[in-house]
Amino acid sequence: MQPIHSASAMTRAGGVSVRKMALTTMLAVLSFVLSTFVYFPAMAPFQHFCNLLGAVFLGPWYGLAAAALTGLLRMVLTGRTIQALVGAVFGAFLSALLYQKTRKLWLAYAGEVFGTGILSAIAVYPLMRLFYGLPPHSPFYYIPFYVPSAAVGGGMGCAVLLLLRHSGALNRMLNQLNR
């Protein structure tokens, strides 16, 4: 067996970034804790706050993993419905994908709001009917709940990221993470 000669090699295991895995877990736990203790009826803005941070720092797949972990934690530990899982993943993935392709924060924000506010809201409706016996409503029933939550939380995430960018810390953090 050959010795590891660089810090870069030590942070990668078979193409998987240990730093990104650690950040994925930290964002999932932060999102879970904030969404559990700072809760508004039918809204979890801190989920979307963390989704936007994950979009920029982690990319689509790790961001999706962080959102899914948060949703699973919320379902298992706090008894939330399947909305906790489905409501998080579409926005996280779309936000990160748009940011990865363009490097524009406003598109990451738009991806979070559209992905969660529209796509997740429509996708969760049949699952709520199937698993929880939701009475027949419009498939657009959840949109008025999801859009404001994603807009507020995504806005908070954008504000933090803009502050980091303005100070020059964002690029340093991204360089450190992607070593």
Side-chain angles (χ1 to χ4, degrees):
M1 183 159 30
Q2 291 184 327
I4 297 174
H5 294 288
S6 72
S8 172
M10 290 192 321
T11 61
R12 297 207 167 268
V16 175
S17 170
V18 175
R19 288 180 178 152
K20 284 190 176 185
M21 286 175 32
L23 184 57
T24 298
T25 305
M26 289 178 2
L27 279 176
V29 171
L30 177 66
S31 179
F32 169 72
V33 169
L34 290 174
S35 295
T36 301
F37 295 109
V38 183
Y39 181 76
F40 307 99
M43 290 180 72
F46 286 104
Q47 170 74 54
H48 313 296
F49 168 78
C50 289
N51 281 358
L52 214 65
L53 295 179
V56 171
F57 286 111
L58 299 171
W61 297 109
Y62 285 106
L64 176 70
L69 282 171
T70 301
L72 288 172
L73 286 171
R74 291 178 71 208
M75 285 178 66
V76 171
L77 299 177
T78 64
R80 301 278 178 224
T81 65
I82 199 162
Q83 289 183 70
L85 177 61
V86 177
V89 295
F90 287 93
F93 186 79
L94 184 58
S95 177
L97 189 64
L98 289 173
Y99 183 78
Q100 185 181 57
K101 297 293 182 194
T102 66
R103 296 291 186 237
K104 296 188 183 300
L105 282 177
W106 73 269
L107 281 174
Y109 175 77
E112 177 64 28
V113 174
F114 182 77
T116 297
I118 307 299
L119 299 178
S120 290
I122 292 170
V124 80
Y125 174 77
L127 298 172
M128 291 298 289
R129 294 249 357 242
L130 179 66
F131 295 124
Y132 300 97
L134 179 73
H137 296 293
S138 165
F140 307 112
Y141 177 77
Y142 289 107
I143 290 175
F145 303 105
Y146 283 32
V147 168
S149 181
V152 169
M156 291 186 304
C158 252
V160 167
L161 290 165
L162 285 170
L163 287 171
L164 289 172
R165 179 186 281 168
H166 181 69
S167 71
L170 182 61
N171 284 336
R172 288 191 307 271
M173 293 166 79
L174 287 169
N175 287 339
Q176 191 72 358
L177 182 64
N178 293 316
R179 286 167 133 212

